[in-house]
Amino acid sequence: MSPEAAPPPEHPVIVFDGVCVLCGRWVDFILRHDRAGRFRLAAMQGQQGRALLIAHGLSPDDPVSFLLVDQGQGYSDTNAIARVLGQLGMPWRAAGTTLRLIPRFLRDPAYRWIARHRYRLFGRRAHCRLPEPDQAWRFID
C-alpha cells in the first residue's frame, strides 16, 4: 500500500529518529507524560515511519525535523513540538502555548540548527531503541 493510500492513523503519530540520543529522550518524555496513551511512535528507520516522512515531504534519509501526523495532517519543527505539548495537559500545554508566542521565523531556524547537529551535540546510538515490553503497544513498526 502506498503512503498516499494509507488511511490516517487513529492516533496521532510522532515520527522520530530512532538512533538519535536527543530524539530518544523526547520519546521517553512522551511515554512519561502522555498518560492517556494518545500518541503512537514510529522510528524513521522503520517502514511506517519512512512512509509517513515521504508522504509529508520530508527526507527519510536525512530529516531535519521530527514529524507529527494528526488526523492526516503533518506538522514539523516547532509547530509539531507545540502541538504535542498542547495535548499533554498542564504544565506542558502552557509550555506549548508559550512556544507559539515566539515568532516561527525565529524558533524554526534554531530548531533546525539543533536538528542538523543532533548527533554531534547529543550522540548517536548504534541501533534503534527497542521499546520496553509494557510500552510496545505505543510503537508502530
Side-chain angles (χ1 to χ4, degrees):
M1 183 184 304
S2 73
E4 295 81 23
E10 183 179 325
H11 294 274
V13 177
I14 296 170
V15 181
F16 67 97
D17 183 346
V19 298
C20 168
V21 172
L22 176 63
C23 303
R25 290 181 185 152
W26 173 245
V27 168
D28 292 339
F29 175 85
I30 298 301
L31 292 171
R32 189 170 46 256
H33 296 288
D34 179 22
R35 293 183 189 102
R38 53 178 74 77
F39 293 104
R40 298 298 179 264
L41 302 152
M44 69 180 210
Q45 291 82 2
Q47 185 177 9
Q48 300 249 351
R50 184 175 182 82
L52 285 169
L53 286 170
I54 292 169
H56 292 280
L58 294 172
S59 168
D61 298 315
D62 188 29
V64 293
S65 181
F66 84 92
L67 173 68
L68 169 67
V69 179
D70 191 359
Q71 298 179 3
Q73 177 70 38
Y75 302 89
S76 62
D77 299 332
T78 56
N79 278 350
I81 293 169
R83 194 166 182 88
V84 169
L85 292 172
Q87 295 184 47
L88 295 179
M90 293 302 279
W92 308 115
R93 181 174 298 144
T97 299
T98 302
L99 180 61
R100 285 189 178 123
L101 293 176
I102 301 168
R104 190 169 183 190
F105 74 89
L106 294 175
R107 57 185 158 104
D108 278 354
Y111 172 85
R112 286 190 202 115
W113 185 89
I114 292 169
R116 272 194 313 275
H117 301 284
R118 66 191 181 272
Y119 297 143
R120 187 166 37 97
L121 294 170
F122 301 98
R124 179 182 182 140
R125 294 183 174 110
H127 303 284
C128 282
R129 72 176 277 151
L130 295 174
E132 298 295 324
D134 63 328
Q135 298 171 335
W137 62 276
R138 302 286 301 274
F139 290 80
I140 300 171
D141 244 352

